[in-house]
Amino acid sequence: MQFIYEENPQNSMIITGDNYKYLFKVRRVKVGDAVNITNFNGIIYKYKITNISKKDANLLKIDEFKIEQELKPFHLGWCKIDTKNIEKVLPTLNEIGVTKITFIECDRSQRNFKLKLDRITKILINSNQQCGRVEIMKIDFCESLDEFLEANPDAKVLDFGGEKINEYFETAVVGCEGGFSERERTLFKNRYSFDTDLILRSESATVAVASKVLL
């Protein structure tokens, strides 16, 4: 990990719980070693380990510095699918640099799946600690594709038979497993697709479009 997350870094701190286990049972850091901590405000706080006990450790802040990360704005409108599949691919989208995801209740979304913001946030925090991203991805929810497209009229919709993706754009929409309904297709101002005859799963399409646009 590049750093660990603490909600409210202080000049002196006591580390417990998961962060303690990671630092002292996985990384096996010692007294006198330095540890980087952030609360995802763009600042890294450097601490020196001053004492280690069986359940916690004492840290003293010795420095802090601001990190500038220039991420291209990329907003993904993702029609909701199985929560487990969303959670599996979230870290990858986070590492690629997606800046915001809005989960959309489209006509063919499976309504019985409930996304929990606190769980999503925890996944993103763990991903940030691993990849070094210093700001949390923004997460939003939308009740319908109609509502999302009204708020984001320039969004590029990923659908079969559309224009091939060959340039950067800021907002994309990916459908759910059943695809878009015929009613929803009447809402599209444009359609984009990949240069392949293969059918991508919803989660594969999100990674593909983010990679195509951002990397």
Side-chain angles (χ1 to χ4, degrees):
M1 287 187 180
Q2 306 300 309
F3 42 69
I4 61 173
Y5 167 76
E6 286 288 337
E7 184 176 358
N8 188 25
Q10 304 290 323
N11 287 330
S12 60
M13 296 174 52
I14 298 176
I15 293 292
T16 60
D18 290 342
N19 283 338
Y20 172 86
K21 291 177 183 177
Y22 171 73
L23 288 174
F24 303 105
K25 295 187 178 181
V26 178
R27 285 184 54 185
R28 299 192 180 280
V29 295
K30 301 178 178 63
V31 170
D33 288 348
V35 174
N36 289 333
I37 291 177
T38 189
N39 61 352
F40 299 126
N41 61 351
I43 298 175
I44 300 295
Y45 304 93
K46 179 173 278 190
Y47 286 80
K48 180 180 179 180
I49 300 168
T50 58
N51 182 65
I52 303 172
S53 70
K54 290 184 177 180
K55 294 185 178 180
D56 57 36
N58 297 88
L59 277 64
L60 181 66
K61 188 170 78 172
I62 57 176
D63 196 9
E64 65 178 69
F65 49 92
K66 189 171 182 63
I67 289 187
E68 300 289 346
Q69 285 184 341
E70 295 293 333
L71 298 180
K72 291 181 183 178
F74 186 67
H75 180 189
L76 176 64
W78 191 358
C79 295
K80 199 173 70 175
I81 61 172
D82 189 325
T83 306
K84 293 179 181 178
N85 293 337
I86 289 174
E87 291 177 353
K88 285 179 183 177
V89 81
L90 263 180
T92 302
L93 295 172
N94 190 59
E95 292 167 18
I96 291 171
V98 174
T99 49
K100 180 178 180 179
I101 297 178
T102 297
F103 294 103
I104 305 167
E105 295 280 1
C106 68
D107 287 350
R108 293 175 177 166
S109 288
Q110 294 167 287
R111 305 276 173 173
N112 56 316
F113 294 123
K114 302 298 181 184
L115 289 166
K116 297 181 179 179
L117 184 57
D118 56 346
R119 182 167 173 79
I120 289 173
T121 301
K122 185 175 182 179
I123 290 170
L124 293 174
I125 286 173
N126 289 335
S127 175
N128 276 20
Q129 290 178 147
Q130 186 65 44
C131 73
R133 184 167 171 170
V134 295
E135 292 185 359
I136 291 288
M137 180 196 297
K138 295 177 182 177
I139 299 293
D140 201 359
F141 301 90
C142 193
E143 290 299 317
S144 70
L145 185 58
D146 311 52
E147 181 182 325
F148 183 86
L149 292 176
E150 183 177 354
N152 301 274
D154 295 326
K156 313 298 184 186
V157 180
L158 271 293
D159 196 21
F160 299 110
E163 181 182 344
K164 300 298 184 279
I165 298 172
N166 57 15
E167 62 182 2
Y168 165 74
F169 48 83
E170 290 192 10
T171 308
V173 178
V174 173
C176 60
E177 288 106 333
F180 299 107
S181 69
E182 292 307 314
R183 184 199 70 81
E184 288 172 328
R185 285 194 169 91
T186 66
L187 304 171
F188 301 166
K189 291 183 178 179
N190 55 68
R191 290 192 301 163
Y192 281 71
S193 64
F194 301 107
D195 192 13
T196 177
D197 293 328
L198 301 177
I199 298 174
L200 301 182
R201 293 175 300 162
S202 178
E203 57 268 41
S204 300
T206 62
V207 173
V209 68
S211 301
K212 186 81 172 177
V213 172
L214 293 173
L215 299 181

